[in-house]
Amino acid sequence: MFRTSETASKMGNAMRGVIAFIPSERCQRFLVGDLKEMPLDRTLDLSSRQLRRLPVTACVFDELVKLYLSDNNLSSLPAELQGLKKLQLLALDFNCFEELPAAVCRLPQLSILYLGNNRLYRLPRELGELKELNTLWLETNCFTVFPEVVCQLSNLKTLHLGYNQIQSLPKELSGLEELRSIWLAGNQLAEFPPVLLEMHFLAVIDVDRNRIRRFPCLSHMQGLKLVIYDHNPCFNAPVVGEGVRRVGRWADSSDDEQEDGGSKAVSETTAEVTEAHAEEEHNI
C-alpha cells in the first residue's frame, strides 16, 4: 500500500515536471490547481510550483493583499497583475527575471517587494512610482551599477542589495530620509561609500565581503546601532559611538572574545532582522 502511494507520488511529481515545460495557459493552470475562490486571509501562495507563466486566473482576486510566487521559473508576468490594486506584498525571488515586469510598477499599495536571486541588471524608472514601498530585496542579481531609481522611493526603510557587482553608491541616496538599514555585503566596493556618512539616521550598515581598505569615523552617526565590515582587506576598524555593535576585525575585545562576540552579534542581528520582516508581513 505504502509502496503504491509512493510510486503514485513520484509519477505525479514527474508529470508536473513535464507539464511545467509546456507554457500554455491550460498547462500552467494545472500546476496551480483550482483558483475559484478568494482566499479568506487574502493571501495566495504559489511558490515552488515550477511555473513558467502565471495563469491569468490568479489575477482575478482584486482584494488580494499578499502574493507569493517565489521559487518558480517565471521570467514575465501578465498585464492583468496590475489589477491587484490592494496588493501590499509581492514575492518574486528565486525566479528567472532579467527585467522587472511593468505590471509590478502599477501596484499603488505595494510596500514589500522581494526580487532576490533573479537575473536583474537594471530597474525601470517606473519603479519610482511605488511611493508606499518600504522594503526592497534585490540581493544576488546582476547589478553592476546601483539602480538610481531606488533613490526615488521616498518611503524606503530597508534595502537589500547584497551579492551584486556594485562599485559605488550615488550621492542622491542621501535623500532617502526614511532609510534605516542598508545591506551591501558581497559587492565590489573599494571604499566606504561617502554618501553613507551623510545619512545620520541609518541604524544598520552592512558592507561585509567587499574590498574596503580603510574605514572612516562613524561616531557622528547618532542613529547607528550596527555596522558589519568583516571580510574586507582593511587596515583599521570604523570608529563608532557608544553602544554601537561592530562585526569585523579589531572590534573592542580580545581575538577570542571578538570571534565569539562577532558571531553572537551576527546571530542576534539575523534573528532581529528575520523577526522584524516577519512582523512587517504579519502587520499587512
Side-chain angles (χ1 to χ4, degrees), residues 33-167:
D34 193 7
L35 295 176
K36 290 183 179 180
E37 297 183 4
M38 172 73 185
L40 294 177
D41 59 359
R42 299 196 293 172
T43 297
L44 183 58
D45 189 351
L46 298 177
S47 300
S48 305
R49 302 293 184 96
Q50 303 182 50
L51 290 172
R52 292 180 176 273
R53 287 177 56 185
L54 177 64
V56 175
T57 52
C59 302
V60 300
F61 305 122
D62 54 9
E63 295 291 320
L64 206 63
V65 172
K66 301 178 184 178
L67 178 58
Y68 295 90
L69 298 172
S70 307
D71 189 27
N72 281 294
N73 296 302
L74 298 169
S75 58
S76 63
L77 294 173
E80 287 81 359
L81 183 78
Q82 65 191 24
L84 304 180
K85 299 300 183 183
K86 296 185 179 180
L87 198 67
Q88 297 179 37
L89 182 152
L90 178 59
L92 299 173
D93 46 324
F94 292 95
N95 275 286
C96 306
F97 292 101
E98 295 184 5
E99 294 189 355
L100 185 64
V104 175
C105 302
R106 296 171 185 149
L107 300 171
Q109 297 301 314
L110 199 63
S111 60
I112 300 177
L113 179 57
Y114 295 98
L115 292 170
N117 290 272
N118 277 284
R119 303 168 186 171
L120 297 168
Y121 60 93
R122 65 184 181 89
L123 295 174
R125 63 177 182 275
E126 290 80 9
L127 184 73
E129 298 174 12
L130 298 180
K131 299 304 181 184
E132 297 299 317
L133 199 64
N134 61 55
T135 302
L136 179 59
W137 293 68
L138 294 167
E139 78 284 1
T140 317
N141 273 286
C142 303
F143 294 102
T144 58
V145 177
F146 184 92
E148 294 202 17
V149 67
V150 170
C151 300
Q152 300 176 26
L153 301 173
S154 57
N155 199 42
L156 198 64
K157 294 178 174 59
T158 301
L159 175 60
H160 289 264
L161 254 172
Y163 300 96
N164 283 281
Q165 298 293 317
I166 294 171
Q167 299 182 27

Side-chain angles (χ1 to χ4, degrees), residues 182-212:
I182 185 165
W183 306 81
L184 299 164
N187 276 285
Q188 298 293 320
L189 299 173
E191 65 172 351
F192 187 85
V195 66
L196 297 185
L197 298 174
E198 304 173 22
M199 303 174 72
H200 302 175
F201 37 80
L202 282 173
V204 177
I205 298 175
D206 177 12
V207 289
D208 185 24
R209 299 182 187 278
N210 276 276
R211 300 186 299 165
I212 301 172

